[in-house]
Structures are given as C-alpha cells and as structure tokens.
Amino acid sequence: MNTYLLLSLALLLSCSSVKNTAGNESDKQLLSDVEILSSDAYEGRKTDTKGAEMARNYLNNRFKAIGLKTFPQLQGYEQGFSFKTSKGEVNGKNMIGFIEGKNDKVIVISAHYDHIGIIRNEIYNGADDNASGVAALLKFAAYYKQHQPNHTLIFAAFDAEEMGLQGARAFVANPPVGLDKVIMNINMDMISHNDKAELYACGTFKYPALKNYFYITNPNLKVLFGHDDPKLGKDDWTNQSDHSIFNDRNIPFIYFGVEDHKDYHKATDEYQNINKRFFIDASNAILEIITNIDKERDIQQLFHEKQRMKKQ
C-alpha cells in the first residue's frame, strides 16, 4: 500500500488550533453521543425499525439543541426515501441540517447512523460502525455553530448505508441544494477503534491537491493517506461507504476511517471496546482538517503565518 504519514505541525499554528477551542465538555459530549446511540435500547439501529426511529429522535433533539437550520423542502430534519429489497420495500430517513456560511458553496459532512440490528437474538450496537462518525458529526456541528464557516455546511446523518448506501443515493438524487454548489463531501465511517493511533484519509489519490490541507496539531495521532488506489482491489475504500455516491458525480471527497478490527460487524462492537483517547484525537484532527479546507488555508499559507508570528 502506498501511504504517506502526514507530519503533525504541532508548533505551526498553536494560536488557531481548533483542538484547544473544542475543550473537555465537547469531548465528554462526543463520548456520551456514542455511548447512547450504541446502547442496547437502540437495538442496533437497523433501517426501518424501532431502533432507527429512536436514533432519529435522538438526532432530532441534538440537531435542535445545536441550532442547525432546516431545509423548507424537508420534513423538519427528515428526508424520507424508500427502496426495494428481496424482502420487500424498506423505508429510510436521512437526518439533514445545515449551518449557513459566508458564501453559498457547500461542503457536505456525512456519517451514517444505521447499523445491522439484531441477529440471532444478539444486538449489534455498532459503536464504531458508525455511532462514532455520527458523534463526530454532532461535535463538528456544535463547533461551527459557534464559529461561522466560510462555506455553507450541510450535516447529513445518512440512513441505510448498510443496505447499499441507500441514504446517500437518495440525498444525491434529491439534494436540498443544487449539486453544482457542492464542492466536496467529507464522510466519516468508523473512526473510534484503532490500537495503533492510525486514522486513514481516503480520497487524495484522485484529488491529490487535498493533501495540502492535511496538518494537525496532535503529534500522538497518525493520519495516513491510502486505501484509495483502484489497483488495491478490496483494499480500495473508494466505493465502500457513502462518499462513493458523491464520487460517482465527480464531487471531491475525503473519507476518514480505520482499518477493520476484531469487532467489525460483530456484536462486540460496543462502547466499552472503542479507543476513547484515539477517538477524541481523531475527531479533533478531522475538525482541524475541515477548518483548513473551509478557510482554504494550506501548508504554504500556514508557513507564511508562522513567519509573521515570529516577527511580531
């Protein structure tokens, strides 16, 4: 695999790091969101089940508390859709909210909230897959509500990813804004469980210019490029989560995730088995990278900012 370790620039912009502004309360909320969404009460959040409805109710309350705006063509935050399977028609619902930016160009920040439900009387709670991504999405929404972004940010908690990326398909087929305004998708799917402090960023193989925005202020986290070369076969993650549907429309994407672990798609994917310190570090790093992209602040600009700081 052709991967590149991104050097942490811990001293480069300490005064503007979003890591420090996130604070302990944000980290506590992040972990609380994962713990709640992956509890037995939500019955594995399978699409078109009671557990999925409970997850939506939770997300609806969190979206409201954060203060996300709704699109007039949706039912509140809900975007309903249906699709057919071998067992009949399935009804899903995406949860969509947004924060208006200083311009009308759009970045879609996404994570799927569904999982695979109950199998042979065991609840598959999907803490890492993908309560982790949803919790990070909520963290980012809360941050940008307090720090207006340059771009308009759509926060999309997709349903039915586990059934063939159906929620993302429905969103792209009937977007609440014109797709011509969407400049990229940032997708998170499994970002809380890795024993080596390694987080992968997939998408820079096709869009190498995005590498210029990858710097973080935490030297303990390794952010790696990879899993996006078509020659890798099954190890190419380009089509393995919701970002695939955006890529099909040639919308640039970054997919953040970890490599498969022993609890992947097993009943043991529980809150107590995620790596909590890694998850906090990963979510803070992703937030930094999103902010770099939103501000169109690349490594060269950061270097010049550092030089100016030295002269002051």
Side-chain angles (χ1 to χ4, degrees):
M1 180 185 301
N2 189 16
T3 63
Y4 303 85
L5 178 61
L6 301 173
L7 297 178
S8 171
L9 304 183
L11 301 178
L12 194 55
L13 263 190
S14 59
C15 67
S16 62
S17 167
V18 297
K19 177 186 175 185
N20 294 329
T21 58
N24 290 332
E25 289 305 313
S26 174
D27 295 341
K28 290 177 183 177
Q29 184 66 61
L30 179 80
L31 295 178
S32 176
D33 286 332
V34 173
E35 185 174 20
I36 291 170
L37 286 168
S38 63
S39 64
D40 283 352
Y42 289 76
E43 298 180 348
R45 307 185 308 278
K46 186 175 181 179
T47 300
D48 207 358
T49 66
K50 175 186 173 183
E53 182 180 0
M54 289 179 63
R56 283 194 298 277
N57 289 337
Y58 182 80
L59 291 173
N60 185 73
N61 290 334
R62 290 286 286 116
F63 278 20
K64 282 184 178 179
I66 290 167
L68 292 185
K69 292 185 175 182
T70 60
F71 288 103
Q73 64 269 49
L74 303 183
Q75 298 296 315
Y77 296 115
E78 293 185 358
Q79 181 189 44
F81 62 94
S82 62
F83 57 98
K84 293 182 179 180
T85 70
S86 60
K87 297 182 179 180
E89 187 171 84
V90 176
N91 296 305
K93 291 181 179 179
N94 295 328
M95 297 296 291
I96 311 294
F98 75 99
I99 293 173
E100 190 172 0
K102 297 174 184 177
N103 64 62
D104 63 352
K105 294 297 183 182
V106 174
I107 297 173
V108 177
I109 300 173
S110 63
H112 74 90
Y113 72 87
D114 65 297
H115 195 52
I116 56 177
I118 301 173
I119 302 174
R120 291 186 291 276
N121 295 320
E122 281 192 294
I123 301 175
Y124 285 61
N125 282 317
D128 189 38
D129 186 11
N130 182 35
S132 67
V134 174
L137 180 148
L138 294 170
K139 174 190 176 83
F140 303 162
Y143 174 83
Y144 288 114
K145 184 63 180 177
Q146 300 302 317
H147 305 81
Q148 187 185 20
N150 289 336
H151 298 79
T152 293
L153 303 180
I154 293 178
F155 295 90
F158 290 136
D159 198 359
E161 188 272 352
E162 300 285 3
M163 294 185 172
L165 320 181
Q166 300 295 340
R169 293 181 196 279
F171 178 91
V172 171
N174 295 285
V177 297
L179 285 183
D180 60 321
K181 293 186 180 296
V182 178
I183 65 166
M184 74 175 307
N185 168 233
I186 295 171
N187 185 46
M188 298 159 293
D189 193 349
M190 298 172 55
I191 59 170
S192 67
H193 192 156
N194 184 272
D195 297 327
K196 298 183 288 185
E198 292 179 349
L199 178 70
Y200 273 90
C202 166
T204 62
F205 181 87
K206 185 173 180 179
Y207 301 100
L210 292 174
K211 292 180 181 179
N212 293 324
Y213 299 102
F214 275 73
Y215 46 85
I216 60 174
T217 57
N218 185 349
N220 299 315
L221 181 72
K222 292 171 281 189
V223 181
L224 306 173
F225 298 127
H227 287 295
D228 51 7
D229 184 342
K231 294 179 182 177
L232 293 173
K234 67 178 182 179
D235 288 325
D236 175 14
W237 296 349
T238 303
N239 297 315
Q240 294 189 16
S241 188
D242 292 315
H243 56 277
S244 170
I245 309 304
F246 293 86
N247 182 53
D248 289 345
R249 298 295 187 96
N250 290 315
I251 296 172
F253 72 93
I254 299 171
Y255 161 44
F256 291 100
V258 299
E259 293 185 321
D260 289 354
H261 46 75
K262 61 182 178 62
D263 299 316
Y264 171 65
H265 271 204
K266 293 182 179 177
T268 51
D269 185 6
E270 301 271 10
Y271 174 72
Q272 62 265 28
N273 291 329
I274 68 172
N275 306 98
K276 297 177 181 63
R277 183 69 256 169
F278 168 75
F279 180 38
I280 291 170
D281 290 345
S283 64
N284 285 333
I286 296 169
L287 179 54
E288 287 185 288
I289 293 165
I290 295 172
T291 298
N292 295 338
I293 293 169
D294 175 58
K295 293 183 177 180
E296 299 180 347
R297 189 174 61 190
D298 60 18
I299 290 174
Q300 186 176 11
Q301 289 171 301
L302 279 171
F303 174 78
H304 291 311
E305 287 184 31
K306 182 185 178 183
Q307 295 302 106
R308 287 197 299 270
M309 288 164 59
K310 284 182 176 179
K311 293 177 181 179
Q312 293 177 353

